[in-house]
Amino acid sequence: RRFRTTLGDVAHIFVGTQTSADDVFVLDDCHEEGGVIVGKSVALGREVCVEAECAHPFLRGKQIRRYHHLSTSSYLVCPYRITESECSLYSEAEMRQRFPLALEYLKANRAALTRREGGRFSGEGWYAFGYPKSMTLFQKRKLVVPDYNNEPSFALDEQEHFYKTGYGIILDDQYLSPYYVLGLLNTKLLFRY
C-alpha cells in the first residue's frame, strides 16, 4: 500500500516543444509594432517581421529561475492553430491568407527547414515543428522548471509562455493552490529529496 503522494498524482507534467530548428523558429530581441513582432533571426542574421498572432513568447531554460517573474524578448514563430483541446498545422494557403509575413520568413528558410532530420520535412508541411509536443498546454497557467538546474528553480507562468528546455506542471486539483505547490517545490529539502 502506498501512503505518499507524488507530484504526478496531483498534476500533469509535460515537456517543452521541439522545433528541430530553433535558429529559424525563435526570434530574439523582439518588440511589437502595430500587431507585428520585429525580431532578430539567427538563421538569416537580420531583423525580420512576423504577425503577432503567429508568434508566442518563448523562454529558454536559463530564463526560468526560482520565484522570478518570467520575462523574455524572444518569440516563437508558431504556424499552428491551437485550441484548448487540439492543434493543427496551418496549410500553406491559410498561412498565405492569414500570416503572409510569417510565411515569407519561413520561405526564406525553406532550404534549411526541408533538410532537417534527413529530409523528413521535404514535402507538404515543410515548416512544421520537429516534435510539436504539448501544444495545447502552453497557453494554460502552469508552474515551469528548467530541465537542468542545481537548485530549486520553479516559477509560476501566467503569461502563456512557450519553452523548449524545461517542464510544465498543470495542477489537476482546482482547489490546490499553485502558490502552495510552488513553495513546496522550491524548498531545498524537496529538491534534495
Side-chain angles (χ1 to χ4, degrees):
R1 223 169 120 159
R2 194 175 101 184
F3 291 101
R4 65 176 187 209
T5 300
T6 66
L7 184 59
D9 292 333
V10 296
H12 177 72
I13 303 168
F14 62 99
V15 298
T17 194
Q18 296 177 5
T19 68
S20 72
D22 286 354
D23 61 333
V24 172
F25 289 107
V26 179
L27 304 178
D28 293 317
D29 302 321
C30 296
H31 62 278
E32 187 172 348
E33 292 178 7
V36 172
I37 297 293
V38 179
K40 180 158 188 204
S41 164
V42 171
L44 297 182
R46 63 177 168 83
E47 230 177 43
V48 299
C49 300
V50 300
E51 292 81 2
E53 194 181 334
C54 189
H56 300 283
F58 184 80
L59 294 169
R60 291 179 172 84
K62 64 184 177 185
Q63 295 170 303
I64 303 170
R65 289 295 168 251
R66 185 179 193 213
Y67 297 121
H68 280 199
H69 170 74
L70 299 173
S71 179
T72 183
S73 64
S74 297
Y75 274 75
L76 177 70
V77 179
C78 187
Y80 287 85
R81 176 183 299 105
I82 304 170
T83 67
E84 195 169 306
S85 59
E86 63 183 17
C87 96
S88 59
L89 185 68
Y90 283 112
S91 70
E92 217 169 315
E94 289 172 310
M95 289 290 291
R96 191 174 303 109
Q97 181 182 9
R98 295 192 64 184
F99 311 116
L101 294 174
L103 181 59
E104 180 184 326
Y105 169 65
L106 293 172
K107 281 185 173 181
N109 290 286
R110 186 171 186 155
L113 291 174
T114 57
R115 282 194 305 267
R116 291 178 292 159
E117 299 182 31
R120 179 177 141 210
F121 297 94
S122 60
E124 196 174 319
W126 53 269
Y127 49 89
F129 291 172
Y131 304 93
K133 299 176 182 178
S134 311
M135 298 286 281
T136 60
L137 302 175
F138 289 104
Q139 297 178 78
K140 296 184 178 189
R141 182 184 202 200
K142 59 193 172 293
L143 303 178
V144 291
V145 63
D147 53 1
Y148 295 108
N149 52 351
N150 55 7
E151 63 183 8
S153 299
F154 292 83
L156 180 62
D157 178 18
E158 298 182 288
Q159 299 173 332
E160 304 180 352
H161 289 96
F162 278 60
Y163 55 86
K164 175 185 175 183
T165 52
Y167 295 91
I169 302 162
I170 296 176
L171 299 174
D172 295 333
D173 185 344
Q174 65 183 1
Y175 299 107
L176 189 58
S177 167
Y179 299 105
Y180 171 71
V181 175
L182 183 65
L184 289 175
L185 293 174
N186 273 328
T187 62
K188 292 180 181 179
L189 176 64
L190 283 183
F191 183 77
R192 184 178 172 123
Y193 178 73

